[in-house]
Amino acid sequence: MAGLAVLQAVQPAAAQERVERKSFIQLLFGGGRSAPKEPKPSAEAPRTSRVKKPVRSEVAAPPPEPAVEKLEDARKILVIGDFLANGAADGLSEAFAKSPGVVVVDRTNGSSGLVRADYYDWIGEAPAIIQEVRPSIIVVQIGSNDRQQLMVNGEREAVRSVNWLAEYERRTQRLISILRTGNAPLLWVGLPAFKSPAMTTDIVVLNGVQRKLVELAGGEFIDIWDGFVDEEGKFIFTGSDINGQQVRLRGSDGINLTKAGKRKIAFYVEKSARRLLGDAAAIGATAFSSDDFPEILMPPAPGENATAITRTIPVAMTDPDLDGGTALLGDMPASASLIRSPRDILVTDGMLPEPPTGRVDNYAWPRGNR
């Protein structure tokens, strides 16, 4: 008995496990003993994570371009007006950022206008600003805040009434006269359409008043209306930017401008400014001296020093070479040809030309006889 006990004690553990018999179904269709489950890890054993975190490849951002150092006597573009003019100033600063010979001076006041002189008096402040800045070009955009009642002879006048318009014209004319004192070119930027139809109607009237007075003073009225409306003249939130891409131009309120809208207004002004500035607006003009830049003068108003204006006579259509001739180049009778073309035969005689031999419309028989 003792020997039997020893034999049972030394038997391997696998032999001691109970062997489950397979049923008839298991023998017929397969299946059997499931694989033994792996032992659960002990609570004390540390768990190791096999998931590797992705390594991010950090690409260093390019360093910002250094600001272009402006010339000491660079040409100054003075911008005055309301919040729209402030956006134009931002856009112009971006446009001339790489031009050492041009500096944009922003003296705008967002909530100002020509109606509320008690808030900010442009007519009273403009002379000191011009004296301080001494601009080469003056850019003005104002009127978006002027849809308010005006005090005329102690009475409040409604917007666009007869007395209101007369007083508004007087104030606009007064401001133009002050800005023109320094003989700097005046670029007066028109107002864009707005979301509100009533506001847009008033803006159209203000644009008409400003255009008339600016052009009479010899300034340039820059019309930006078409850049902020669709083909039917209706207000748009989204439109083409300066590169022709469709972008958001206006804020959700239908009044303010996005960065792209500000740059678009500045683009209209930039074209005229570059024409006046000439070489001063060139990129990398540090090799030049401000003494080499051409003088920028405002053209005289109509009827003022008119004899000093040199006018070029248009080329007459009847005398393009200015030699007294009466016929344009090539306006000579064509030489007659002795050989009549197939067109002449068809048009004049109504006869088709002979078809080539072998073509499908050659009905001669036998073939080649015609």
Side-chain angles (χ1 to χ4, degrees), residues 280-300:
I283 297 176
T286 53
F288 296 96
S289 169
S290 59
D291 297 335
D292 300 328
F293 293 153
E295 186 178 5
I296 302 175
L297 296 176
M298 182 175 180

Side-chain angles (χ1 to χ4, degrees), residues 4 23 30 38-39 61 72 95 119 147 184 187 199-200 220 239 279 281 297 308 328 349 364 366 368-369:
L4 181 60
S23 64
E38 296 182 357
E72 183 178 355
Y119 173 77
R147 300 177 61 252
L187 303 179
M199 186 174 184
T200 299
E220 180 179 352
D279 292 338
L297 296 176
L328 294 173
D349 303 334
N369 291 350

Side-chain angles (χ1 to χ4, degrees), residues 43-72:
E44 299 179 358
R47 296 184 179 182
T48 58
S49 176
R50 298 181 181 180
V51 180
K52 295 183 178 180
K53 296 182 179 180
V55 179
R56 296 181 179 180
S57 58
E58 297 182 358
V59 179
E65 296 184 3
V68 175
E69 184 178 355
K70 303 293 183 177
L71 297 177
E72 183 178 355

Side-chain angles (χ1 to χ4, degrees), residues 20-343:
E20 297 182 0
R21 295 183 178 180
K22 295 184 178 182
S23 64
F24 176 77
I25 299 300
Q26 291 175 339
L27 293 174
L28 183 62
F29 296 101
R33 184 179 178 183
S34 60
K37 297 182 180 180
E38 296 182 357
K40 296 183 179 181
S42 173
E44 299 179 358
R47 296 184 179 182
T48 58
S49 176
R50 298 181 181 180
V51 180
K52 295 183 178 180
K53 296 182 179 180
V55 179
R56 296 181 179 180
S57 58
E58 297 182 358
V59 179
E65 296 184 3
V68 175
E69 184 178 355
K70 303 293 183 177
L71 297 177
E72 183 178 355
D73 296 330
R75 302 300 193 199
K76 296 179 181 178
I77 301 178
L78 172 63
V79 184
I80 65 174
D82 53 25
F83 65 94
L84 290 180
N86 176 258
D90 293 342
L92 286 173
S93 298
E94 180 181 350
F96 293 103
K98 297 182 179 181
S99 300
V102 180
V103 174
V104 178
V105 181
D106 183 1
R107 289 300 180 87
T108 59
N109 188 308
S111 301
S112 66
L114 295 177
V115 171
R116 290 288 306 275
D118 58 325
Y119 173 77
Y120 191 86
D121 186 7
W122 277 110
I123 296 176
E125 299 291 340
I129 295 176
I130 295 176
Q131 182 66 27
E132 176 190 351
V133 177
R134 298 186 180 278
S136 299
I137 297 175
I138 300 176
V139 177
V140 183
Q141 190 174 30
I142 198 169
S144 300
N145 301 317
D146 288 341
R147 300 177 61 252
Q148 306 180 48
Q149 294 180 346
L150 256 175
M151 291 294 295
V152 181
N153 298 326
E155 299 290 336
R156 293 186 176 274
E157 297 290 342
V159 179
R160 290 196 293 123
S161 66
V162 175
N163 292 334
W164 190 96
L165 287 174
E167 177 63 17
Y168 193 80
E169 286 191 15
R170 188 192 69 80
R171 297 187 183 188
T172 305
Q173 179 63 58
R174 179 59 183 152
L175 178 60
I176 293 174
S177 300
I178 294 172
L179 299 178
R180 220 194 136 187
T181 304
N183 205 31
L186 176 61
L187 303 179
W188 193 293
V189 188
L191 303 173
F194 291 90
K195 181 181 178 181
S196 168
M199 186 174 184
T200 299
T201 301
D202 294 338
I203 293 302
V204 171
V205 176
L206 296 185
N207 278 340
V209 171
Q210 295 173 1
R211 179 193 292 271
K212 178 185 67 174
L213 298 177
V214 169
E215 292 179 349
L216 285 175
E220 180 179 352
F221 183 83
I222 300 177
D223 192 348
I224 66 171
W225 189 268
D226 291 340
F228 296 88
V229 295
D230 59 14
E231 296 179 354
E232 299 179 357
K234 298 180 180 179
F235 169 84
I236 55 174
F237 283 100
T238 302
S240 301
D241 64 359
I242 62 174
N243 298 316
Q245 302 297 323
Q246 291 295 307
V247 296
R248 182 86 172 191
L249 299 174
R250 309 299 287 270
S252 58
D253 57 0
I255 297 176
N256 289 286
L257 297 164
T258 63
K259 182 178 180 181
K262 296 175 182 178
R263 183 65 184 90
K264 188 170 185 177
I265 290 181
F267 179 71
Y268 284 93
V269 185
E270 179 187 354
K271 293 187 294 184
S272 298
R274 288 188 181 276
R275 184 185 70 248
L276 294 169
L277 292 168
D279 292 338
I283 297 176
T286 53
F288 296 96
S289 169
S290 59
D291 297 335
D292 300 328
F293 293 153
E295 186 178 5
I296 302 175
L297 296 176
M298 182 175 180
E304 181 178 321
N305 298 329
T307 56
I309 301 176
T310 303
R311 300 185 182 275
T312 303
I313 302 176
V315 177
M317 292 296 293
T318 57
D319 187 11
D321 294 330
L322 301 178
D323 56 359
T326 58
L328 294 173
L329 181 63
D331 189 15
M332 299 294 293
S335 58
S337 176
L338 299 178
I339 301 176
R340 302 179 67 193
S341 66
R343 176 184 177 280

